[in-house]
Amino acid sequence: MPEDCPFCGIIAGEIPSYTVYGDEDVMAFLDVNPLARGHTLVVPKKHHPRVSGIPAETTDAVFQTAGRLSGRVATAVDADGTTIAVNDGPAAGQEVPHVHVHIVPRFDGDDGGAIHSLFRSQASVSDEELQSVAEDIKDGD
Ligand code: AMP
Ligand code: ZN
């Protein structure tokens, strides 16, 4: 376990947290600097920096837990919806290098916007590029 990883510290019980779920592979706790009341983080118990490095069983466990908890989180704070998101890599704004799924409660009329509001403009991609990227993804590992 990396000594400076705060989430490994929480999982090891060395850093306090408001834990809302735990099993053999997964833990969930409240974000300490929440974007909204009830903002929850779901993490694999084993340290993985990036989503692409997680074994399939762990990915299943983490995302199944996020799916199950999203309803409970929303109910707990009387939210109208949730944004479920991962900042995967520093380029995407990931600050803690231990994979975590954010569950952010959303309220009608809040100022959060959709994931699309992360960008001021859309990428301009031709049909040929869409085709070529789709093939690269399909044929990739
Ligand atoms: P990200 O930018 O996706 O890496 O988000 C990291 C999140 O972890 C931020 O929303 C922080 O508020 C949250 N965070 C950092 N340290 C802790 C901690 N000790 N307990 C709970 N949440 C934390
Ligand atoms: Zn860690």
Side-chain angles (χ1 to χ4, degrees):
M1 143 186 151
E3 303 231 327
D4 53 355
C5 174
F7 295 170
C8 282
I10 287 174
I11 290 155
E14 291 161 3
I15 295 176
S17 72
Y18 295 94
T19 301
V20 300
Y21 179 80
D23 64 27
E24 209 179 312
D25 304 311
V26 180
M27 186 170 171
F29 46 85
L30 295 184
D31 194 302
V32 80
N33 289 307
L35 292 170
R37 255 180 95 227
H39 183 168
T40 297
L41 303 174
V42 183
V43 303
K45 282 195 167 167
K46 199 156 168 258
H47 183 90
H48 295 283
R50 297 289 292 271
V51 169
S52 55
I54 309 182
E57 321 77 80
T58 310
T59 315
D60 289 351
V62 169
F63 282 92
Q64 274 178 29
T65 301
R68 276 204 309 273
L69 283 182
S70 64
R72 278 204 242 167
V73 168
T75 301
V77 297
D78 205 18
D80 301 304
T82 55
T83 293
I84 300 170
V86 179
N87 294 323
D88 187 36
Q94 182 180 5
E95 288 182 358
V96 176
H98 182 133
V99 166
H100 48 284
V101 179
H102 292 260
I103 303 173
V104 185
R106 300 299 303 271
F107 300 87
D108 291 338
D110 72 20
D111 62 358
I115 284 178
H116 289 66
S117 65
L118 288 169
F119 293 83
R120 275 188 210 97
S121 60
Q122 268 179 272
S124 164
V125 186
S126 67
D127 285 348
E128 291 74 24
E129 285 172 299
L130 289 173
Q131 182 70 34
S132 140
V133 171
E135 272 158 26
D136 287 346
I137 294 171
K138 243 195 289 179
D139 299 340
D141 291 330

